[in-house]
Amino acid sequence: MTLVVVYNPVCGDRTAEKFFNEEVLPRLKEQGKIPDKVIATTHPNHAGETIVELLKQTTESLTVILGSGDGTLHEIATSLHHSLDRQVQSQVAIVLVPCGTANALYSSLFPSQSDDPSYRLKSLNLYLSPSPTSIVLSSATTVVHPSQPGGDTRSSVAIVVASTALHAAILHDSEALRSSHPGIERFKIAAQQNITRWYHARVKLVPSHEHESVELYDVSRRSFIAVTEEGSIELEGPFTYFLSTVNVDRLESLFRIAPLHATLPSRTPALDIVIVRPLRNPTINDDSEGSRLRFAEQGGIVLGGAYRDGAHVNMIYGSDGSVGSEENSGQSVVEYYRCGGWEWIPDRDDEHARFVCVDGEIFNIEAGGKATTSISGNIHGTQLSIFA
Ligand SMILES: Nc1ncnc2c1ncn2[C@@H]1O[C@H](COP(=O)(O)OP(=O)(O)OP(=O)(O)O)[C@@H](O)[C@H]1O
């Protein structure tokens, strides 16, 4: 078993190095765990390059004590995906020490809020315990397809989120705010900048396996139901929100956008997909400036529900277009699907519908192109797991 320590000194509030020197490395030493390497990343994708290189040199499984946010783990997953020349089936076990801004994966696995340093050592303490437990991580591979055969195809792997519409626009715009607003408030500012926009696209949702069906959460039954006998389904836009998650029920400790990942867990690797389509509101009949302004308020209510422990998934329209819960009898405000993959085919002339976010990495689909995402339990044979 090869043991490496990798931390990103610039992620989050830039305290990873101090935390590793003061808390993590001494604990490993105390327990007689001597890392084969200790690496502070010096450039983007350094962590991914390191792990791929180590896997080429050994047939042993690898344990990585990783001090980072979600972005660095995403780089590792994507590097594994791109290193197609690897010959061996391998195992990479991650001990995650959250050092990033949002830490979506860590706060989903350990959902309590605390500034106490011991909160950040939960995965490490499990790894060092006499009976460590770990879970296998699923991965979602997104491929951005060109408009013409033979064009440039790009791909990337999400461990947390693959999205389009508002979330992708927020991530795109928030990057420009990173230096002025290093904390999570930059996401709220970017959300305000985009809240009135509608995104024009068609979506295909694909089941995990050929003879399965796409599932939709039924608010009244509080459970998933099969949408069709079997096969894929298509949804027409416009959309305001289109986001799929993998391995997580939240994107920050309090923003629980996909709560059913935890409360109604899937037995097999699956994508949880949260969709808002404004024309489901019974009082919104057209795609006009007025409708968009009116609906923006509801967009705020939906996202507010995510901050109230995921309450948005049970919101129902009243006949007057108001958003409520039990007392209303209309359609659900949010469509919450569970399936194996999706295709997003943006309208040619809607440039804002062409952003795709894969764990914070932003892609621009060319006019006439599309993006597809599919779930898997491993990355080209490499199984990623995490002590949790
Ligand atoms: N030495 C370095 N200099 C500059 N960038 C680096 C360096 N090392 C790693 N990076 C980059 O830092 C980026 C941010 O890291 P990461 O996502 O782990 O933290 P974060 O964005 O603060 O947290 P989160 O993803 O949880 O919001 C990564 O995309 C990685 O490419």
Side-chain angles (χ1 to χ4, degrees):
M1 171 87 72
T2 304
L3 175 66
V4 287
V5 170
V6 179
Y7 62 84
N8 174 349
V10 303
C11 68
D13 61 1
R14 297 175 175 248
T15 56
E17 184 148 78
K18 185 168 183 287
F19 195 72
F20 268 65
N21 285 335
E22 290 177 3
E23 304 284 347
V24 179
L25 297 175
R27 265 185 177 68
L28 288 172
K29 197 171 171 194
E30 261 165 46
Q31 302 275 330
K33 300 267 187 197
I34 309 302
D36 297 284
K37 276 181 192 231
V38 177
I39 295 161
T41 58
T42 58
H43 53 273
N45 208 32
H46 190 179
E49 293 160 8
T50 302
I51 302 308
V52 167
E53 212 35 57
L54 284 167
L55 287 175
K56 279 183 184 159
Q57 291 164 13
T58 179
T59 50
E60 292 179 355
S61 57
L62 193 61
T63 300
V64 185
I65 317 266
L66 183 66
S68 76
D70 302 298
T72 307
L73 183 55
H74 158 72
E75 289 181 346
I76 293 174
T78 300
S79 297
L80 292 172
H81 165 71
H82 287 306
S83 64
L84 291 167
D85 56 332
R86 277 177 313 113
Q87 298 296 312
V88 289
Q89 306 266 309
S90 35
Q91 307 265 349
V92 178
I94 305 283
V95 178
L96 189 58
V97 180
C99 298
T101 314
N103 302 308
L105 180 61
Y106 193 85
S107 56
S108 294
L109 295 170
F110 302 103
S112 67
Q113 238 216 331
S114 166
D115 292 334
D116 191 312
S118 67
Y119 171 69
R120 297 168 73 185
L121 295 170
K122 284 180 179 279
S123 182
L124 180 70
N125 287 339
L126 264 174
Y127 163 66
L128 295 173
S129 76
S131 44
T133 51
S134 64
I135 56 168
V136 173
L137 292 173
S138 302
S139 56
T141 303
T142 295
V143 179
V144 180
H145 301 265
S147 56
Q148 302 291 335
D152 190 19
T153 301
R154 291 155 295 155
S155 57
S156 186
V157 177
I159 295 297
V160 168
V161 59
S163 69
T164 61
L166 178 64
H167 181 260
I170 290 173
L171 267 288
H172 176 260
D173 288 6
S174 69
E175 226 15 69
L177 297 163
R178 188 183 271 268
S179 54
S180 57
H181 298 83
I184 52 176
E185 71 275 18
R186 71 174 181 272
F187 301 118
K188 286 191 180 156
I189 299 170
Q192 280 311 317
Q193 290 170 0
N194 287 286
I195 198 85
T196 57
R197 195 161 272 137
W198 291 6
Y199 302 84
H200 299 86
R202 273 182 304 123
V203 161
K204 195 166 157 189
L205 301 180
V206 185
S208 302
H209 301 288
E210 208 183 327
H211 297 298
E212 285 181 2
S213 53
V214 171
E215 292 184 309
L216 174 65
Y217 176 64
D218 183 316
V219 178
S220 58
R221 296 188 210 176
R222 296 287 198 267
S223 64
F224 281 98
I225 50 159
V227 181
T228 50
E229 291 276 296
E230 60 186 59
S232 50
I233 62 161
E234 291 211 10
L235 303 176
E236 290 295 330
F239 297 81
T240 54
Y241 209 74
F242 182 89
L243 175 140
S244 62
T245 61
V246 51
N247 302 309
V248 302
D249 68 343
R250 62 197 73 207
L251 298 184
E252 354 165 320
S253 64
L254 297 178
F255 187 65
R256 207 168 174 222
I257 191 69
L260 306 179
H261 172 81
T263 54
L264 294 174
S266 171
R267 280 191 304 274
T268 52
L271 289 161
D272 276 19
I273 305 183
V274 177
I275 296 174
V276 179
R277 287 190 290 167
L279 296 178
R280 283 167 68 83
N281 181 313
T283 63
I284 304 244
N285 305 314
D286 59 4
D287 181 355
S288 63
E289 191 62 33
S291 296
R292 272 182 255 143
L293 278 174
R294 254 186 329 120
F295 193 77
E297 224 173 276
Q298 297 201 326
I301 295 173
V302 170
L303 295 185
Y307 282 105
R308 282 184 290 108
D309 207 24
H312 59 299
V313 302
N314 290 318
M315 288 176 178
I316 303 275
Y317 284 120
S319 53
D320 59 353
S322 63
V323 171
S325 48
E326 317 294 330
E327 69 278 12
N328 288 341
S329 55
Q331 299 206 81
S332 65
V333 177
V334 169
E335 292 167 276
Y336 193 126
Y337 287 95
R338 182 166 284 167
C339 62
W342 52 259
E343 265 186 56
W344 172 267
I345 308 139
D347 286 9
R348 256 184 179 277
D349 43 10
D350 187 348
E351 58 178 301
H352 294 286
R354 303 212 301 260
F355 290 127
V356 182
C357 165
V358 183
D359 282 357
E361 186 182 3
I362 300 294
F363 293 89
N364 208 331
I365 306 169
E366 67 183 49
K370 67 176 181 179
T372 57
T373 291
S374 57
I375 192 82
S376 173
N378 63 70
I379 304 169
H380 298 313
T382 295
Q383 194 176 68
L384 269 184
S385 61
I386 185 161
F387 286 91

